[in-house]
Amino acid sequence: MFIKIDFSSDVPIYTQLRQQIIEGIAAGILKEGESLPSVRQMAEDIGINLHTVNKAYAILRDDNFILMDRRIGAVINSKQNMELNDYESKFEEDIKPIIAEAYCRGMKEEEIIKKIKEIYIKFAEA
């Protein structure tokens, strides 16, 4: 699997795992209906605690990115089921400090917009 954890990062491991699975879905690496490794297997593969994987999977389930089934485990949900009507406010809340930091560090509006567009296109083309 493509998961790479930075153990020296300030970002919690479960957050890194969640973000990388979402990026995998967006990039088309993980497709609708595809099974993720079991909690135990993922923990073993990455070398982390199984409770950390369980937390990441639970958040992904709560956010509609994956479905959990006792018989088949964690499965990538359909993109239609991932859509949330109230996501726009969460998006703004999440991106606001990133844009604020970029602004404080001297990035110009055009540079920020260009970078966002490049990332969006990368996922749209996947």
Side-chain angles (χ1 to χ4, degrees):
M1 189 157 224
F2 61 91
I3 304 294
K4 300 272 191 260
I5 300 298
D6 180 358
F7 293 99
S8 63
S9 173
D10 291 337
V11 177
I13 293 171
Y14 74 89
T15 301
Q16 291 181 53
L17 180 57
R18 176 189 175 274
Q19 289 171 337
Q20 290 187 38
I21 289 172
I22 293 171
E23 286 181 26
I25 294 167
I29 297 166
L30 296 171
K31 302 190 181 334
E32 177 182 340
E34 185 174 336
S35 292
L36 291 173
S38 69
V39 169
R40 189 174 307 280
Q41 186 63 53
M42 179 72 84
E44 187 178 304
D45 290 350
I46 301 174
I48 60 176
N49 188 295
L50 65 96
H51 296 293
T52 303
V53 177
N54 198 42
K55 184 172 185 174
Y57 278 16
I59 295 169
L60 287 163
R61 180 200 60 221
D62 293 346
D63 290 343
N64 293 324
F65 287 102
I66 64 173
L67 302 170
M68 298 292 285
D69 185 306
R70 290 185 187 270
R71 297 167 291 161
I72 57 175
V75 177
I76 304 301
N77 203 352
S78 70
K79 286 191 179 170
Q80 290 90 356
N81 290 335
M82 292 178 198
E83 295 175 8
L84 295 174
N85 295 333
D86 60 344
Y87 179 70
E88 194 172 315
S89 62
K90 182 183 180 332
F91 173 78
E92 186 175 339
E93 180 183 312
D94 290 347
I95 201 165
K96 193 179 208 177
I98 294 167
I99 293 173
E101 181 176 350
Y103 175 80
C104 288
R105 293 183 181 274
M107 282 185 78
K108 302 292 182 220
E109 177 184 2
E110 300 80 29
E111 294 172 297
I112 294 170
I113 292 169
K114 180 182 175 197
K115 185 54 69 180
I116 291 170
K117 197 173 211 175
E118 287 171 2
I119 294 168
Y120 183 88
I121 289 170
K122 181 178 107 177
F123 290 127
E125 291 175 346

